[in-house]
Coordinates of all heavy atoms in Angstrom, one line a residue:
M25 N -4.2 -30.1 17.8 CA -3.5 -29.1 16.9 C -2.0 -29.2 16.9 O -1.4 -28.3 16.9 CB -4.0 -27.7 17.5 CG -5.4 -27.4 17.4 SD -6.0 -27.3 15.8 CE -5.7 -25.5 15.3
F26 N -1.5 -30.4 17.1 CA -0.1 -30.5 17.1 C 0.5 -31.0 15.8 O 1.5 -31.6 15.7 CB 0.3 -31.7 18.1 CG 0.2 -31.1 19.6 CD1 -0.7 -31.6 20.5 CD2 1.1 -30.1 19.9 CE1 -0.7 -31.0 21.7 CE2 1.0 -29.5 21.2 CZ 0.1 -30.0 22.1
G27 N -0.3 -30.9 14.7 CA 0.2 -31.3 13.5 C -0.6 -30.9 12.3 O -1.7 -30.2 12.5
K28 N -0.3 -31.3 11.1 CA -1.2 -31.0 10.0 C -1.1 -32.2 9.1 O -0.4 -33.2 9.3 CB -0.7 -29.8 9.2 CG 0.8 -30.0 8.6 CD 1.1 -28.7 7.8 CE 2.5 -28.9 7.2 NZ 2.9 -27.6 6.5
I29 N -2.0 -32.3 8.0 CA -2.0 -33.4 7.2 C -1.2 -33.1 5.9 O -1.4 -32.1 5.3 CB -3.5 -33.7 6.8 CG1 -4.4 -33.9 8.1 CG2 -3.6 -34.9 5.9 CD1 -3.9 -35.1 8.9
C30 N -0.4 -34.1 5.6 CA 0.5 -33.9 4.3 C -0.5 -33.9 3.1 O -1.3 -34.7 3.0 CB 1.5 -35.0 4.2 SG 2.3 -35.0 2.6
P31 N -0.3 -32.9 2.3 CA -1.3 -32.8 1.2 C -1.0 -33.8 0.1 O -1.9 -34.0 -0.8 CB -1.0 -31.3 0.6 CG 0.3 -31.0 1.0 CD 0.5 -31.8 2.4
Y32 N 0.1 -34.5 0.2 CA 0.5 -35.4 -0.9 C 0.1 -36.9 -0.4 O -0.5 -37.6 -1.2 CB 2.0 -35.4 -1.1 CG 2.4 -34.0 -1.6 CD1 3.2 -33.2 -0.7 CD2 2.1 -33.5 -2.8 CE1 3.5 -31.9 -1.0 CE2 2.4 -32.3 -3.2 CZ 3.2 -31.5 -2.3 OH 3.6 -30.3 -2.7
C33 N 0.5 -37.3 0.8 CA 0.1 -38.6 1.2 C -0.9 -38.8 2.3 O -1.3 -39.8 2.8 CB 1.4 -39.4 1.7 SG 2.1 -38.6 3.2
R34 N -1.4 -37.5 2.9 CA -2.5 -37.6 3.8 C -2.1 -38.1 5.2 O -3.0 -38.5 5.9 CB -3.7 -38.2 3.3 CG -4.3 -37.6 2.1 CD -5.0 -36.3 2.4 NE -5.3 -35.5 1.3 CZ -5.7 -34.2 1.2 NH1 -5.7 -33.6 2.4 NH2 -5.8 -33.5 0.1
E35 N -0.8 -38.2 5.5 CA -0.3 -38.6 6.7 C -0.3 -37.4 7.7 O 0.0 -36.3 7.3 CB 1.1 -39.3 6.6 CG 1.0 -40.7 5.8 CD 0.3 -41.7 6.8 OE1 0.1 -41.5 8.0 OE2 0.0 -42.9 6.2
K36 N -0.3 -37.7 9.0 CA -0.3 -36.7 10.0 C 1.2 -36.3 10.2 O 1.9 -37.2 10.6 CB -1.0 -37.1 11.3 CG -1.4 -36.0 12.1 CD -2.4 -36.5 13.2 CE -2.4 -35.5 14.3 NZ -3.1 -36.1 15.5
I37 N 1.6 -35.1 10.0 CA 3.0 -34.7 10.2 C 3.0 -33.5 11.2 O 2.0 -32.9 11.4 CB 3.6 -34.4 8.9 CG1 2.8 -33.4 8.1 CG2 3.8 -35.7 8.1 CD1 3.5 -32.8 6.9
K38 N 4.2 -33.0 11.5 CA 4.3 -31.9 12.4 C 4.0 -30.6 11.6 O 4.1 -30.5 10.4 CB 5.8 -31.8 12.9 CG 6.1 -32.7 14.0 CD 7.4 -32.6 14.6 CE 7.7 -33.6 15.7 NZ 9.0 -33.6 16.2
K39 N 3.4 -29.6 12.4 CA 2.9 -28.4 11.9 C 3.8 -27.6 11.1 O 3.6 -27.1 10.0 CB 2.3 -27.6 13.0 CG 1.4 -26.4 12.6 CD 0.9 -25.7 13.8 CE 0.4 -24.4 13.5 NZ 0.2 -23.6 14.7
N40 N 5.1 -27.5 11.7 CA 6.1 -26.7 10.9 C 7.1 -27.6 10.1 O 8.2 -27.1 9.9 CB 6.8 -25.8 11.9 CG 7.4 -26.5 13.1 OD1 7.1 -27.8 13.2 ND2 8.1 -25.9 14.0
A41 N 6.7 -28.8 9.8 CA 7.6 -29.6 9.0 C 7.8 -29.0 7.6 O 6.9 -28.5 7.0 CB 6.9 -31.0 8.9
V42 N 9.1 -29.1 7.1 CA 9.4 -28.6 5.9 C 9.4 -29.8 4.8 O 9.1 -29.5 3.7 CB 10.9 -28.0 5.9 CG1 11.2 -27.4 4.6 CG2 10.9 -26.9 7.0
V43 N 9.6 -30.9 5.3 CA 9.6 -32.1 4.4 C 8.8 -33.2 5.1 O 8.9 -33.4 6.3 CB 11.0 -32.6 4.2 CG1 10.9 -33.9 3.4 CG2 11.9 -31.6 3.5
C44 N 7.8 -33.8 4.5 CA 7.0 -34.9 5.0 C 7.9 -36.1 5.3 O 8.7 -36.5 4.6 CB 5.9 -35.3 3.9 SG 4.9 -36.6 4.5
R45 N 7.6 -36.5 6.5 CA 8.4 -37.6 7.1 C 8.0 -38.9 6.4 O 8.8 -40.0 6.5 CB 8.3 -37.8 8.6 CG 6.9 -37.9 9.1 CD 6.8 -37.9 10.6 NE 7.2 -39.1 11.1 CZ 6.9 -39.6 12.4 NH1 6.1 -38.8 13.1 NH2 7.3 -40.8 12.8
Y46 N 6.9 -39.0 5.8 CA 6.4 -40.3 5.2 C 6.7 -40.3 3.7 O 7.3 -41.3 3.2 CB 4.9 -40.4 5.4 CG 4.5 -40.4 6.9 CD1 4.1 -39.4 7.5 CD2 4.6 -41.7 7.5 CE1 3.7 -39.4 8.8 CE2 4.3 -41.7 8.9 CZ 3.8 -40.6 9.5 OH 3.6 -40.7 10.8
C47 N 6.4 -39.2 2.9 CA 6.7 -39.3 1.5 C 7.8 -38.4 1.1 O 8.2 -38.4 -0.1 CB 5.4 -38.9 0.7 SG 4.9 -37.2 1.0
H48 N 8.4 -37.7 2.1 CA 9.6 -36.9 1.9 C 9.4 -35.8 0.8 O 10.4 -35.5 0.0 CB 10.8 -37.7 1.5 CG 11.1 -38.8 2.5 ND1 11.6 -38.6 3.8 CD2 10.8 -40.1 2.5 CE1 11.6 -39.7 4.5 NE2 11.2 -40.7 3.8
R49 N 8.3 -35.2 0.6 CA 8.0 -34.2 -0.3 C 8.2 -32.8 0.4 O 7.9 -32.8 1.6 CB 6.6 -34.3 -1.0 CG 6.7 -35.6 -1.8 CD 5.2 -35.7 -2.4 NE 5.2 -35.1 -3.7 CZ 4.4 -35.5 -4.7 NH1 3.7 -36.5 -4.6 NH2 4.4 -34.9 -5.9
D50 N 8.5 -31.8 -0.4 CA 8.6 -30.4 0.0 C 7.3 -29.9 0.6 O 6.2 -30.0 -0.2 CB 9.2 -29.5 -1.0 CG 10.7 -29.3 -0.9 OD1 11.3 -30.0 0.1 OD2 11.3 -28.6 -1.6
L51 N 7.3 -29.3 1.7 CA 5.9 -28.7 2.2 C 6.1 -27.3 2.5 O 5.2 -26.7 3.2 CB 5.6 -29.5 3.5 CG 5.3 -31.0 3.3 CD1 5.3 -31.6 4.7 CD2 4.0 -31.2 2.6
K52 N 7.3 -26.7 2.2 CA 7.5 -25.3 2.7 C 6.7 -24.3 2.0 O 6.2 -24.3 0.8 CB 9.0 -24.9 2.4 CG 9.5 -25.1 1.0 CD 10.9 -24.9 0.8 CE 11.3 -25.2 -0.6 NZ 12.7 -25.3 -0.8
A53 N 6.4 -23.2 2.8 CA 5.7 -21.9 2.3 C 4.5 -22.3 1.5 O 4.5 -22.1 0.3 CB 6.7 -21.1 1.5
E54 N 3.4 -22.5 2.1 CA 2.1 -22.7 1.4 C 1.3 -21.5 1.5 O 0.4 -21.3 2.4 CB 1.3 -23.9 2.1 CG 2.0 -25.2 1.9 CD 1.3 -26.3 2.6 OE1 0.0 -26.2 2.7 OE2 1.9 -27.2 3.1
K55 N 1.6 -20.5 0.6 CA 0.8 -19.4 0.5 C 0.7 -18.4 1.6 O 0.4 -17.2 1.4 CB -0.7 -19.8 0.0 CG -0.7 -20.2 -1.4 CD -1.9 -19.8 -2.1 CE -1.9 -20.1 -3.6 NZ -3.0 -19.8 -4.3
S56 N 0.9 -18.8 2.8 CA 0.7 -17.9 4.0 C 1.7 -16.7 3.9 O 1.3 -15.6 4.2 CB 1.1 -18.7 5.3 OG 2.3 -19.3 5.2
D57 N 3.0 -17.0 3.4 CA 3.9 -15.8 3.2 C 3.4 -14.9 2.1 O 3.5 -13.7 2.2 CB 5.3 -16.4 2.8 CG 6.0 -17.0 4.0 OD1 5.4 -16.8 5.1 OD2 7.1 -17.5 3.9
D58 N 2.9 -15.3 1.0 CA 2.5 -14.6 -0.1 C 1.3 -13.7 0.4 O 1.3 -12.5 0.1 CB 1.8 -15.4 -1.2 CG 2.9 -16.2 -1.9 OD1 4.0 -15.7 -2.0 OD2 2.6 -17.3 -2.6
C59 N 0.4 -14.3 1.4 CA -0.6 -13.5 1.8 C -0.1 -12.3 2.7 O -0.6 -11.2 2.5 CB -1.5 -14.4 2.7 SG -3.2 -14.1 2.5
S60 N 0.8 -12.5 3.5 CA 1.3 -11.4 4.4 C 2.0 -10.3 3.5 O 1.7 -9.1 3.8 CB 2.3 -11.9 5.4 OG 3.4 -12.5 4.8
S61 N 2.7 -10.7 2.5 CA 3.4 -9.6 1.7 C 2.3 -8.9 0.9 O 2.4 -7.7 0.6 CB 4.4 -10.3 0.7 OG 3.7 -11.2 -0.1
L62 N 1.2 -9.6 0.5 CA 0.1 -8.9 -0.2 C -0.5 -7.8 0.7 O -0.8 -6.7 0.3 CB -1.0 -9.9 -0.5 CG -1.4 -9.9 -2.0 CD1 -2.1 -11.2 -2.4 CD2 -2.3 -8.7 -2.2
W63 N -0.7 -8.2 2.1 CA -1.2 -7.2 3.0 C -0.3 -6.0 3.2 O -0.7 -4.9 3.3 CB -1.5 -8.0 4.3 CG -2.8 -8.6 4.3 CD1 -3.2 -10.0 4.4 CD2 -4.1 -8.0 4.3 NE1 -4.4 -10.2 4.4 CE2 -5.1 -9.0 4.3 CE3 -4.5 -6.6 4.2 CZ2 -6.5 -8.7 4.3 CZ3 -5.8 -6.4 4.2 CH2 -6.8 -7.5 4.2
I64 N 1.0 -6.3 3.2 CA 2.0 -5.1 3.4 C 1.9 -4.2 2.1 O 1.8 -3.1 2.2 CB 3.4 -5.7 3.4 CG1 3.6 -6.4 4.8 CG2 4.5 -4.6 3.3 CD1 4.9 -7.3 4.9
F65 N 1.8 -4.9 0.9 CA 1.6 -4.2 -0.3 C 0.3 -3.4 -0.3 O 0.3 -2.1 -0.6 CB 1.5 -5.1 -1.5 CG 1.3 -4.5 -2.9 CD1 2.3 -3.8 -3.4 CD2 0.0 -4.6 -3.5 CE1 2.1 -3.1 -4.6 CE2 -0.1 -3.9 -4.6 CZ 0.9 -3.2 -5.3
A66 N -0.8 -3.9 0.2 CA -2.0 -3.2 0.3 C -1.9 -2.0 1.3 O -2.3 -0.9 1.0 CB -3.1 -4.1 0.8
G67 N -1.1 -2.2 2.4 CA -1.0 -1.1 3.4 C -0.2 0.0 2.7 O -0.6 1.2 2.9
F68 N 0.9 -0.2 2.0 CA 1.7 0.8 1.3 C 0.8 1.5 0.3 O 0.9 2.7 0.2 CB 2.9 0.2 0.6 CG 4.1 0.1 1.6 CD1 4.6 -1.2 1.9 CD2 4.6 1.3 2.2 CE1 5.7 -1.3 2.9 CE2 5.7 1.1 3.0 CZ 6.2 -0.1 3.5
T69 N 0.1 0.7 -0.5 CA -0.8 1.4 -1.5 C -1.8 2.3 -0.8 O -2.0 3.5 -1.2 CB -1.6 0.3 -2.3 OG1 -0.6 -0.7 -2.7 CG2 -2.3 0.9 -3.4
G70 N -2.3 1.9 0.3 CA -3.3 2.8 1.0 C -2.7 4.0 1.5 O -3.1 5.1 1.4
L71 N -1.4 3.9 2.1 CA -0.7 5.1 2.5 C -0.4 6.0 1.4 O -0.5 7.2 1.4 CB 0.7 4.6 3.2 CG 0.6 4.2 4.6 CD1 1.9 3.7 5.1 CD2 0.3 5.4 5.4
A72 N 0.1 5.4 0.2 CA 0.4 6.2 -0.9 C -0.9 7.0 -1.4 O -0.8 8.2 -1.7 CB 0.9 5.4 -2.0
L73 N -2.0 6.3 -1.5 CA -3.2 7.0 -1.8 C -3.6 8.1 -1.0 O -4.0 9.2 -1.4 CB -4.3 6.0 -2.0 CG -4.3 5.1 -3.2 CD1 -5.4 4.0 -3.2 CD2 -4.6 5.9 -4.5
G74 N -3.5 7.8 0.3 CA -3.8 8.8 1.3 C -3.0 10.1 1.2 O -3.4 11.2 1.2
A75 N -1.6 9.9 1.0 CA -0.7 10.9 0.9 C -1.0 11.8 -0.4 O -1.0 13.0 -0.5 CB 0.7 10.4 0.8
A76 N -1.3 11.0 -1.4 CA -1.7 11.7 -2.7 C -2.9 12.6 -2.5 O -3.0 13.7 -3.0 CB -1.9 10.6 -3.9
A77 N -3.9 12.0 -1.8 CA -5.1 12.8 -1.7 C -4.9 14.1 -0.9 O -5.3 15.1 -1.2 CB -6.2 11.9 -0.9
V78 N -4.1 13.9 0.2 CA -3.7 15.1 1.1 C -2.9 16.1 0.2 O -3.2 17.4 0.3 CB -2.9 14.7 2.3 CG1 -2.3 15.9 3.0 CG2 -3.8 13.8 3.2
L79 N -2.0 15.7 -0.5 CA -1.2 16.5 -1.4 C -2.0 17.2 -2.4 O -2.0 18.5 -2.6 CB -0.1 15.8 -2.1 CG 1.1 15.5 -1.2 CD1 2.1 14.5 -2.0 CD2 1.8 16.7 -0.8
G80 N -3.0 16.5 -3.0 CA -3.9 17.0 -4.1 C -4.8 18.1 -3.5 O -4.9 19.2 -4.1
L81 N -5.3 17.8 -2.3 CA -6.1 18.9 -1.6 C -5.3 20.1 -1.3 O -5.8 21.2 -1.5 CB -6.8 18.3 -0.4 CG -8.0 17.4 -0.6 CD1 -8.4 16.8 0.6 CD2 -9.1 18.2 -1.2
G82 N -4.2 19.9 -0.7 CA -3.3 21.0 -0.4 C -3.0 21.9 -1.6 O -3.0 23.1 -1.6
Y83 N -2.7 21.2 -2.7 CA -2.4 21.9 -4.0 C -3.5 22.7 -4.5 O -3.4 23.8 -4.8 CB -1.9 20.8 -5.0 CG -1.8 21.4 -6.4 CD1 -0.6 22.2 -6.7 CD2 -2.7 21.1 -7.5 CE1 -0.4 22.8 -7.8 CE2 -2.4 21.7 -8.7 CZ -1.3 22.5 -8.9 OH -1.2 23.1 -10.1
L84 N -4.7 22.2 -4.4 CA -5.9 22.9 -4.9 C -6.1 24.1 -4.0 O -6.3 25.1 -4.5 CB -7.1 21.9 -4.7 CG -7.3 20.9 -5.9 CD1 -8.5 20.1 -5.6 CD2 -7.4 21.7 -7.2
N85 N -5.9 23.9 -2.7 CA -6.1 25.1 -1.8 C -5.0 26.2 -2.1 O -5.3 27.4 -2.2 CB -5.9 24.7 -0.3 CG -7.2 24.1 0.2 OD1 -8.2 24.4 -0.3 ND2 -7.0 23.4 1.3
E86 N -3.7 25.7 -2.4 CA -2.7 26.7 -2.7 C -3.0 27.5 -3.9 O -2.9 28.7 -4.1 CB -1.4 25.9 -2.7 CG -0.7 25.6 -1.4 CD -0.3 26.9 -0.7 OE1 0.3 27.8 -1.2 OE2 -0.7 27.0 0.4
R87 N -3.5 26.7 -4.9 CA -3.8 27.3 -6.2 C -4.9 28.4 -6.1 O -4.9 29.4 -6.7 CB -4.3 26.2 -7.2 CG -3.7 26.5 -8.6 CD -4.0 25.3 -9.5 NE -5.4 25.3 -9.8 CZ -5.9 24.6 -10.8 NH1 -5.0 24.0 -11.7 NH2 -7.1 24.6 -11.1
K88 N -5.9 28.1 -5.2 CA -6.9 29.0 -5.0 C -6.3 30.3 -4.4 O -6.7 31.4 -4.9 CB -8.0 28.5 -3.9 CG -9.4 28.7 -4.4 CD -10.4 27.9 -3.7 CE -10.9 28.5 -2.4 NZ -11.8 27.7 -1.6
R89 N -5.4 30.2 -3.5 CA -4.8 31.3 -2.9 C -4.0 32.1 -3.9 O -3.9 33.3 -3.9 CB -3.9 30.9 -1.7 CG -4.7 31.0 -0.4 CD -3.9 30.4 0.7 NE -2.4 30.9 0.9 CZ -1.5 30.4 1.6 NH1 -1.8 29.4 2.4 NH2 -0.3 30.9 1.7
W90 N -3.3 31.3 -4.8 CA -2.4 32.0 -5.8 C -3.3 32.9 -6.7 O -3.0 34.0 -7.1 CB -1.7 31.0 -6.7 CG -0.6 30.2 -5.9 CD1 0.0 30.6 -4.8 CD2 0.0 29.0 -6.2 NE1 0.9 29.7 -4.4 CE2 0.9 28.7 -5.2 CE3 -0.2 28.1 -7.3 CZ2 1.7 27.5 -5.2 CZ3 0.5 26.9 -7.3 CH2 1.5 26.7 -6.4
K91 N -4.4 32.3 -7.1 CA -5.4 33.0 -8.0 C -5.8 34.3 -7.3 O -5.8 35.3 -7.9 CB -6.6 32.2 -8.3 CG -6.5 31.3 -9.5 CD -7.8 30.7 -9.9 CE -7.7 30.0 -11.2 NZ -8.9 29.2 -11.5
E92 N -6.2 34.2 -6.0 CA -6.6 35.4 -5.3 C -5.5 36.5 -5.3 O -5.6 37.6 -5.6 CB -7.0 35.1 -3.9 CG -8.5 34.5 -3.9 CD -8.7 33.7 -2.6 OE1 -8.0 33.9 -1.7 OE2 -9.7 33.0 -2.6
H93 N -4.3 35.9 -5.0 CA -3.0 36.8 -4.9 C -2.8 37.5 -6.3 O -2.5 38.6 -6.4 CB -1.9 35.9 -4.5 CG -0.6 36.7 -4.3 ND1 -0.5 37.6 -3.2 CD2 0.5 36.9 -5.0 CE1 0.7 38.2 -3.2 NE2 1.3 37.7 -4.3
D94 N -2.9 36.7 -7.4 CA -2.6 37.2 -8.7 C -3.6 38.4 -9.0 O -3.2 39.4 -9.5 CB -2.9 36.1 -9.8 CG -1.6 35.2 -9.9 OD1 -0.6 35.6 -9.3 OD2 -1.6 34.2 -10.6
S95 N -5.0 38.1 -8.8 CA -5.9 39.2 -9.1 C -5.6 40.4 -8.3 O -5.8 41.5 -8.7 CB -7.3 38.7 -8.8 OG -7.4 38.1 -7.5
A96 N -5.1 40.2 -7.0 CA -4.8 41.4 -6.2 C -3.6 42.1 -6.8 O -3.6 43.3 -6.9 CB -4.4 40.9 -4.8
C97 N -2.7 41.3 -7.4 CA -1.5 42.0 -8.0 C -2.0 42.8 -9.2 O -1.5 44.0 -9.5 CB -0.5 41.0 -8.4 SG 0.6 40.5 -7.1
D98 N -2.9 42.2 -10.0 CA -3.3 42.9 -11.2 C -4.0 44.2 -10.8 O -3.9 45.3 -11.5 CB -4.4 42.0 -11.9 CG -3.7 40.9 -12.7 OD1 -2.5 40.9 -12.9 OD2 -4.4 39.9 -13.1
F99 N -4.8 44.1 -9.8 CA -5.5 45.3 -9.3 C -4.5 46.5 -8.9 O -4.6 47.5 -9.3 CB -6.3 45.0 -8.1 CG -7.1 46.1 -7.5 CD1 -8.2 46.7 -8.1 CD2 -6.7 46.7 -6.3 CE1 -8.9 47.8 -7.7 CE2 -7.4 47.8 -5.8 CZ -8.6 48.3 -6.5
E100 N -3.4 46.1 -8.2 CA -2.4 47.0 -7.8 C -1.8 47.6 -9.0 O -1.6 48.8 -9.1 CB -1.3 46.3 -7.0 CG -1.8 46.3 -5.5 CD -0.7 45.4 -4.6 OE1 0.4 45.3 -5.1 OE2 -1.1 45.1 -3.6
K101 N -1.4 46.8 -10.1 CA -0.7 47.2 -11.3 C -1.7 48.2 -12.0 O -1.2 49.3 -12.4 CB -0.5 46.0 -12.2 CG 0.7 46.1 -13.0 CD 1.0 45.0 -13.9 CE 0.2 45.1 -15.2 NZ 0.4 43.9 -16.0
D102 N -3.0 47.9 -12.2 CA -3.9 48.8 -12.7 C -3.8 50.1 -12.0 O -3.8 51.2 -12.7 CB -5.3 48.3 -12.7 CG -5.4 47.2 -13.8 OD1 -4.5 47.0 -14.6 OD2 -6.4 46.4 -13.7
A103 N -3.9 50.1 -10.6 CA -3.9 51.3 -9.9 C -2.6 52.1 -10.1 O -2.8 53.4 -10.4 CB -4.0 51.0 -8.4
T104 N -1.5 51.6 -10.2 CA -0.3 52.3 -10.4 C -0.2 52.9 -11.8 O 0.2 54.0 -12.1 CB 0.9 51.4 -10.2 OG1 0.7 50.1 -10.7 CG2 1.2 51.3 -8.7
D105 N -0.8 52.0 -12.7 CA -0.8 52.6 -14.2 C -1.7 53.8 -14.3 O -1.2 54.8 -14.9 CB -1.4 51.5 -15.1 CG -0.4 50.5 -15.5 OD1 0.9 50.7 -15.2 OD2 -0.7 49.5 -16.1
Q106 N -2.8 53.8 -13.7 CA -3.6 55.0 -13.6 C -2.9 56.2 -12.9 O -3.1 57.4 -13.5 CB -4.9 54.7 -12.9 CG -6.0 54.0 -13.9 CD -7.2 53.4 -13.1 OE1 -7.4 53.9 -12.0 NE2 -7.8 52.5 -13.8
A107 N -2.3 55.9 -11.9 CA -1.6 57.0 -11.1 C -0.4 57.5 -11.9 O -0.2 58.8 -12.0 CB -1.1 56.5 -9.8
G108 N 0.3 56.6 -12.6 CA 1.5 57.1 -13.4 C 1.2 57.6 -14.7 O 1.0 58.6 -15.1
Ligands
LIG8 ZN1 3.5 -36.9 2.8

């Protein structure tokens, strides 16, 4: 495990080599970086979705309470109208 195979010339080279010592071609960043950034993106998307779900549920609960509050206010108004 002290090296990898150059994809161009199939020679054994060092694992973290940036340029192949045999054919001198660029070997930097073979998808592994893309993969990690993809995972970070997935993590952020998951967090955003979770936050949106929590906010949505909270909003629905609040709306239910507002509706109850509104009907209570209407009832009070009717009562005062009748009294006055
Ligand atoms: Zn090579």
Side-chain angles (χ1 to χ4, degrees):
M25 294 298 270
F26 283 117
K28 62 178 180 180
I29 303 296
C30 173
Y32 303 107
C33 64
R34 296 287 163 195
E35 288 289 349
K36 206 169 160 189
I37 51 169
K38 280 183 182 169
K39 195 178 159 190
N40 52 357
V42 181
V43 173
C44 174
R45 58 186 280 204
Y46 296 101
C47 66
H48 304 289
R49 293 179 95 146
D50 262 6
L51 300 164
K52 57 186 173 191
E54 290 175 36
K55 290 221 167 176
S56 54
D57 282 356
D58 290 335
C59 219
S60 60
S61 59
L62 229 162
W63 275 111
I64 291 168
F65 177 73
F68 272 115
T69 309
L71 273 176
L73 280 176
V78 169
L79 281 174
L81 279 175
Y83 172 72
L84 281 178
N85 277 341
E86 280 299 308
R87 220 172 70 160
K88 224 166 93 179
R89 263 173 53 193
W90 292 340
K91 265 190 177 172
E92 282 163 14
H93 186 70
D94 277 352
S95 53
C97 277
D98 285 345
F99 179 73
E100 269 175 26
K101 211 180 85 181
D102 284 350
T104 43
D105 277 353
Q106 276 170 19

